Amino acid sequence: MRKFMKEFQAFALRGNVMDMAIGVIIGGAFSGIVTSLTDNFINPILNVCTGHAAYTLQDVAGFVSAFLSSVVNFIIMAFILFCLMKVVNKAAGIGKKKEPEAPAAPTTKLCPFCKSEIPLEATRCGHCTSRLDEEA
């Protein structure tokens, strides 16, 4: 059972699964904005244009406040999901800054005569057979 739980945790905390879950939740929250836009702006405009309804200033204010409420709900939901993802990523160790690796010490040098690469310890160039001084 313990192995099963570890496997499930590894599966659930993988980036792809979490991204998909966040996408589904954000999509659901965004559909609330689209529904509110349709119910509170597009339908009343169509009703006024076709002559089915006449709205007062209070009705329009109610439509605007309902739409703004759905936008604020979406922003709150997105913020909560962002904070949740930060915690999950921190717990899973995703996004940690890696310390830059020190560059490896050079193992070759250039021959001052033929400009080919030779080992650092070489006293003669293997390509042009020139004798190398200690300085070169």
Side-chain angles (χ1 to χ4, degrees):
M1 185 67 171
R2 186 172 289 209
K3 183 181 177 186
F4 176 77
M5 290 304 289
K6 278 192 172 191
E7 288 177 1
F8 178 74
Q9 181 182 11
F11 168 76
L13 294 181
R14 268 196 336 219
N16 298 347
V17 175
M18 293 302 288
D19 290 344
M20 185 180 69
I22 295 297
V24 169
I25 294 170
I26 289 289
F30 190 74
S31 71
I33 290 178
V34 172
T35 301
S36 178
L37 178 71
T38 304
D39 292 344
N40 296 313
F41 282 108
I42 296 174
N43 285 345
I45 290 172
L46 291 175
N47 286 339
V48 167
C49 290
T50 58
H52 285 92
Y55 295 108
T56 65
L57 194 54
Q58 286 181 329
D59 294 334
V60 173
F63 294 150
V64 171
S65 67
F67 178 71
L68 289 178
S69 173
S70 67
V71 169
V72 169
N73 287 341
F74 174 78
I75 291 171
I76 291 171
M77 177 69 73
F79 179 72
I80 289 171
L81 289 173
F82 172 74
C83 293
L84 179 68
M85 282 302 295
K86 294 275 286 183
V87 169
V88 168
N89 286 342
K90 190 176 233 181
I94 298 173
K96 287 185 179 177
K97 292 184 180 178
K98 295 180 180 177
E99 294 184 22
E101 295 181 12
T107 58
T108 60
K109 62 183 177 181
L110 286 179
C111 172
F113 302 104
C114 69
K115 304 297 183 198
S116 59
E117 283 192 12
I118 54 174
L120 279 177
E121 300 84 23
T123 57
R124 273 190 189 262
C125 178
H127 301 281
C128 68
T129 67
S130 299
R131 193 173 278 270
L132 304 173
D133 296 333
E134 293 289 325
E135 301 168 2

